[in-house]
Every structure is written in structure tokens, then in C-alpha cells.
Amino acid sequence: MDSVGVAAAAPDAGQGPAWQSKCPWGAPSTTSISCSLADVMSEQLAKELQLEEENAAFPEVVVAAEGPFITGENIDTSSDLMLAQMLQMEFDREYDAQLRREEKKINGDSKVSISFENYRKVHPYDSDSSEDEVDWQDTRHDPYRADKPTTTPRRGFIGKGKDITTKHDEVVCGRKNTARMENFAPEFQVGDGIGMDLKLSNQVFNALKQHAYSEERRSARLHEKKEHSTAEKAVDPKTRLLLYKMVNSGMLETITGCISTGKESVVFHAYGGKSATEDKVIPPECAIKVFKTTLNEFKNRDKYIKDDYRFKDRFSKLNPRKIIRMWAEKEMHNLTRMQNAGIPCPQVVILKKHVLVMSFIGQDQVPAPKLKDVTLSSEDMKKAYYQILNMMQQLYRECNLVHADLSEYNMLWHDGKVWLIDVSQSVEPTHPHGLEFLFRDCRNVSQFFQKGGVAEALNERELFNAVSGLNITADNEVDFQAEIEALEKMNEDHVQNHGKKLSTFSSDGDPPIYDE
């Protein structure tokens, strides 16, 4: 019998070895499942068959929980918050993976590397991090600091033979200088010199050290200037406290805002309140003059105070902040003299340190215009000229003062007449430069009114003689000023005519001074 016949007869006999039933050439024993056409067309049966094929192709794999936040038990897909957190976590993982790829791409094999660690968005509950990732800031190698403290040998070098390294070695000194940069001020950004193995020479380190020291002092000065000085249209905390006390005491009802700024002061408008004493009347509208404490504009103005006998004994160049208070006190005394003489000027209300409260020249928060900004008719211009001439004579003879900064910028036009302001720099004629200041005022007044078309306006020399009463005859201005300087040096005629007053303004009726 041939082999084919034996293979075909073996299944029929039902006996024989086990390998004959698994013979690849044998006919497969399949059992046909009978089903109707309706079952074949059923969609449920199709889904079951497809599910069996998928399970056979992709066996079920048990996934371990990644963290305490997402597990197989607490996933609640019906919560929108839970779904949003899961999506956000997945997005953050992808974003962090992109950052790591960017780091590897940019750094490459370079010794100097950058890190996007601060830009990563991994949530605190996310534990998906590779084991090979380490924080380079915590595990970096410090080449300048040994793991164990080592003592420097007394002989000043280490090693033997050709390997001797002294304390003056360029590499050792460079690394020590780089490590010392960490002692600089926090405001001075030194960078990551340690991680870069940077070696600084002594010359560079000393230059950086000096620069860091200078920057620290500069920042301290800026902080002091911000805290202890007045700026344009602003006041320091101490000045603000003075203004608050005035409002709280009822002296001022309210402070509306800034109306003028200058080199030496800032002027605010305020509505007057009630005085604590009945004999003191506070105007309905007040002007608050706050003298700046920066001292930037007072460097060349000490000559107005140090040579004035009223303040000569109190002047001190070593304490410049006192000059500001003396400057405010000086204006208060000068205004009081002018007010007693009947010269139109602001009325002094009170002086507190470097804050001077006066009456407001204007109406309804609108200050009176300066003489340079107002357009006057020829008749009003002529009237203003003779009024100023009369005020200069009163100021010189009755008040014993020289304005020292008289111009169209310091004269206001209000109620049909001229008002004088800004007399903090005014000095007495006995001042070593008093006559020079008077001649300068006469020049400013003459030039302004001559340009304004006043035909009766005198020139500066004639006006000087008319105000001072000194008959100085000179053909030109140079000789005229020379005679003025000679008079200032001798100062004999002027002192004999006026004399020096040694009183401390006790008879002027000055307002009280509060110095807390």
C-alpha cells in the first residue's frame, strides 16, 4: 500500500500513533457550524466577530498606574474638570519633551550648556520623569571648592618637581577670583562663571569689584533720593506727612494739585480752612510752596545766604539740608517786610520746615498770569512800569532789600496791578554783591519795558541811580559796573546811609515757625 493510502486510511481506523493525527498532509478535521441567513446578516454577530479578531491580534496588556492622581479606579470621565486636567497633563508632557529635544539640539557636545528648566510645565503630581534626568544646578561639579576642606601649606606651594603649583598660579588665582564674585551685591549680575570654569585675572577681578562697589553706592543714592527728596510735581514721604498734618488740623481744607514747578520749588493750590487762633485769618485760597530738597539747583545759590548777615552765623556748608529750611525762612522774612511796606505780594500764613503756605494770587484755582504771558495795552504797560519803579524804590529804601532776581518771570498781573513773587533769594543792599544784583534787576526791567513800547522807560544805569539814590556818572556800562564794584568793596557810603541791623526780625511781626 502506498503512503498516500496509509495517510488517508489512518483517520478512518481511529487508531495509530499521535503524530499521524498532526500530519501536515492530512485532511483537516473541521466541523461546519450551521447558521441561517438571518444570523449572517445580523449586525450584533458582526460586532462580536470583529471584537474576537481584535482580541486575538492585540492581546490585553495590564497598564500600571502612573501616579496617585490617575488610576483605574478613580477615573471619572463624566467630570469635565477631570478630563481637562488629564488633557492638560498630556499637553505638558509633550511640551516638556519638546523642550528636552531643543536642549539636546542646541547644546550638542558644547561645554557651555543652556537649560530650559524654568520653562517646563510638569505638574507637581506628575511623576513621569526619566531616571537619567538630573538637575545640573544641584549636581554640578565645583572646580574651586573641594569636597573636603584642605589646608593651605605654609610653604606656599604644593607638589614636587615639575608638578609644583604655587599660590600665584594663573589657573588657581583665576578660579579663586571667579568664586569670589559670588560675594558681590545681589544687584550686580555676575552670571554662571563657576559652571563655565571661568578664570579671571587679578586686574579684571579688581575692575569688576570696583564697579560692583560703585553700582551699590549709586543704587543707595538713588534710593535715598527717592525717599528723602522732592521730585518734580511730587513730594517725599516727610513732606507729604507735613501736608497731611495741615489738612488734619483744619488749617487747610483740601489740596487740589500742582499749579507751578520751578528750579527750586513746587507750588500747590489749596483751599484754606480755619485757624486754631482767632487773630490768625487764613485766606480762602492758599498757595503751598514746597522747596525741593535735592540740592541740585542750590549748589551756586549759597552766595545768597552765606554773605547775608541775618543767616551768616547759621550757615553751614557741611549740612546742606539746613540750607533749604533757611531758604524757606528767608523768603518768609522777606515777604513779611514787603507786606509791612504795602508792596503787593503773597501774604504769609505759616512756615513748617521747607513748606511755606501763602495766600493765592489768582481766583478759582487759576493762578494770575506772569507779566511775560499777559498782553497789556499801552496804557496798562505804562502803568505797570511806574508801579514797578515805585515798588523797587520801596523795596530798596523801606524794606532794605534787593530782589536779586527781578524779571517779567517773577511778576504777576492781577486785579489791574503788578504783584512780586519769589523773593527767597532777596538780599540786603549791604550784601557784598547787593549792588550787582540791583543793577541786574534794573537791566531786566528796562529791557522788558523798552521792548514793550514804553517810551518813558529809563535805561539800566538811570534806573539804578533812581532806585538806589547813588549818583554814579559813567559814560559806558563797563565803567559803571567798575564803580559799583568799587562801592561794594569800600561799602562806606552805603553802610553810613543805611547801617547794619543786628535784630533778629523780632519787630517784623513774622508768622510762627514750626520745626518739628
Side-chain angles (χ1 to χ4, degrees):
M1 184 181 295
D2 55 358
S3 60
V4 179
V6 173
D12 297 338
Q15 296 178 359
W19 60 269
Q20 291 182 357
S21 61
K22 296 182 180 181
C23 181
W25 294 283
S29 58
T30 58
T31 59
S32 59
I33 301 175
S34 60
C35 60
S36 63
L37 181 60
D39 295 337
V40 175
M41 299 300 294
S42 175
E43 294 181 1
Q44 183 178 1
L45 180 60
K47 290 181 180 180
E48 293 178 357
L49 293 176
Q50 183 179 0
L51 184 60
E52 292 178 0
E53 293 179 0
E54 290 178 356
N55 294 335
F58 304 101
E60 183 178 0
V61 179
V62 179
V63 181
E66 295 182 356
F69 181 75
I70 299 177
T71 60
E73 298 177 357
N74 60 3
I75 291 181
D76 185 9
T77 56
S78 62
S79 175
D80 294 339
L81 176 61
M82 184 71 67
L83 291 176
Q85 290 178 348
M86 294 170 61
L87 292 174
Q88 183 64 39
M89 182 184 297
E90 187 64 27
F91 172 79
D92 292 343
R93 289 198 189 98
E94 295 178 359
Y95 181 78
D96 295 341
Q98 179 66 22
L99 287 181
R100 285 192 288 269
R101 288 192 294 268
E102 291 291 335
E103 287 181 6
K104 294 180 181 179
K105 180 180 178 181
I106 295 176
N107 295 333
D109 299 333
S110 176
K111 295 182 179 180
V112 180
S113 61
I114 64 173
S115 175
F116 294 146
E117 187 70 25
N118 295 334
Y119 298 95
R120 296 186 179 179
K121 296 183 179 181
V122 178
H123 291 270
Y125 48 78
D126 185 14
S127 60
D128 185 14
S129 59
S130 57
E131 297 180 357
D132 57 344
E133 292 183 10
V134 293
D135 189 0
W136 63 274
Q137 294 181 350
D138 297 335
T139 60
R140 65 187 179 187
H141 172 63
D142 189 351
Y144 323 116
R145 192 176 302 163
D147 297 336
K148 295 182 180 180
T150 57
T151 58
T152 305
R154 293 184 178 181
R155 58 180 182 270
F157 64 91
I158 56 176
K160 295 181 180 180
K162 296 181 180 181
D163 298 332
I164 291 180
T165 301
T166 65
K167 63 180 180 180
H168 303 290
D169 184 69
E170 182 178 0
V171 177
V172 175
C173 289
R175 289 176 174 173
K176 286 183 178 180
N177 291 337
T178 305
R180 290 171 184 169
M181 286 198 305
E182 293 184 349
N183 299 327
F184 289 169
E187 296 82 7
F188 190 76
Q189 304 293 336
V190 297
D192 185 23
I194 297 179
M196 298 171 59
D197 194 12
L198 186 64
K199 305 174 184 64
L200 292 180
S201 62
N202 293 335
Q203 182 179 2
V204 175
F205 174 75
N206 292 332
L208 289 175
K209 181 179 179 181
Q210 185 65 29
H211 180 66
Y213 179 68
S214 302
E215 287 294 317
E216 186 177 2
R217 293 183 59 188
R218 187 180 69 87
S219 61
R221 286 197 302 269
L222 292 177
H223 179 72
E224 181 182 1
K225 180 179 179 181
K226 180 180 178 182
E227 293 294 329
H228 303 288
S229 65
T230 57
E232 186 175 359
K233 298 184 181 180
V235 294
D236 60 347
K238 292 184 179 180
T239 306
R240 193 179 298 112
L241 182 60
L242 291 176
L243 299 179
Y244 286 159
K245 287 183 178 180
M246 292 182 184
V247 176
N248 293 335
S249 64
M251 182 185 303
L252 299 177
E253 183 178 350
T254 180
I255 300 176
T256 57
C258 178
I259 58 177
S260 176
T261 58
K263 295 183 297 182
E264 64 181 25
S265 62
V266 181
V267 182
F268 296 90
H269 176 271
Y271 285 104
K274 297 181 181 179
S275 176
T277 58
E278 296 180 357
D279 56 343
K280 192 70 174 178
V281 179
I282 299 179
E285 290 185 272
C286 298
I288 306 174
K289 190 171 185 179
V290 180
F291 288 85
K292 293 182 179 179
T293 57
T294 54
L295 299 176
N296 293 333
E297 302 296 337
F298 287 87
K299 293 180 181 178
N300 299 325
R301 288 180 171 259
D302 56 353
K303 62 182 180 181
Y304 294 96
I305 294 182
K306 69 178 182 180
D307 295 326
D308 195 332
Y309 78 92
R310 297 176 295 174
F311 305 94
K312 190 174 183 179
D313 297 335
R314 298 166 53 191
F315 179 79
S316 175
K317 226 175 183 183
L318 299 178
N319 192 355
R321 293 194 176 275
K322 289 186 178 180
I323 301 177
I324 309 302
R325 299 185 185 180
M326 293 172 60
W327 196 266
E329 183 181 348
K330 192 166 183 279
E331 179 161 4
M332 182 199 67
H333 290 307
N334 294 337
L335 286 174
T336 304
R337 284 192 183 186
M338 294 169 61
Q339 185 179 354
N340 294 337
I343 299 176
C345 64
Q347 177 186 355
V348 178
V349 177
I350 195 173
L351 171 66
K352 277 195 174 183
K353 294 185 178 180
H354 59 283
V355 178
L356 180 62
V357 182
M358 306 171 291
S359 61
F360 179 70
I361 309 300
Q363 189 176 4
D364 297 334
Q365 303 185 24
V366 180
K370 297 179 181 178
L371 203 58
K372 73 177 185 68
D373 297 328
V374 67
T375 303
L376 300 178
S377 62
S378 59
E379 188 67 25
D380 289 339
M381 185 69 73
K382 183 178 178 180
K383 177 183 176 182
Y385 172 74
Y386 283 108
Q387 183 186 354
I388 293 173
L389 178 60
N390 187 25
M391 286 192 298
M392 292 178 68
Q393 292 175 346
Q394 282 184 291
L395 195 66
Y396 185 87
R397 298 172 184 177
E398 299 181 17
C399 301
N400 196 26
L401 288 175
V402 175
H403 192 283
D405 193 18
L406 188 63
S407 65
E408 61 272 19
Y409 293 89
N410 293 329
M411 293 183 286
L412 304 180
W413 181 260
H414 181 63
D415 289 341
K417 59 183 179 180
V418 179
W419 298 68
L420 293 183
I421 60 171
D422 193 9
V423 293
S424 57
Q425 72 286 332
S426 299
V427 297
E428 294 195 350
T430 55
H431 190 276
H433 303 283
L435 297 180
E436 293 180 16
F437 296 154
L438 178 60
F439 183 74
R440 186 176 61 186
D441 294 345
C442 294
R443 178 189 299 165
N444 295 335
V445 173
S446 297
Q447 290 178 356
F448 174 73
F449 284 100
Q450 286 176 358
K451 291 179 181 180
V454 179
E456 294 83 357
L458 303 175
N459 58 33
E460 56 267 21
R461 287 173 287 178
E462 296 174 348
L463 184 59
F464 179 85
N465 290 330
V467 173
S468 63
L470 301 174
N471 296 323
I472 299 178
T473 59
D475 297 336
N476 51 32
E477 185 177 345
V478 177
D479 296 340
F480 196 89
Q481 291 183 350
E483 292 189 19
I484 290 177
E485 292 177 359
L487 284 176
E488 288 178 342
K489 290 180 181 179
M490 294 183 299
N491 204 13
E492 293 179 355
D493 296 336
H494 193 73
V495 171
Q496 289 178 359
N497 293 333
H498 298 276
K500 283 190 177 182
K501 297 180 180 179
L502 300 179
S503 63
T504 59
F505 304 99
S506 59
S507 61
D508 289 345
D510 295 333
I513 301 175
Y514 294 92
D515 192 1
E516 298 177 356

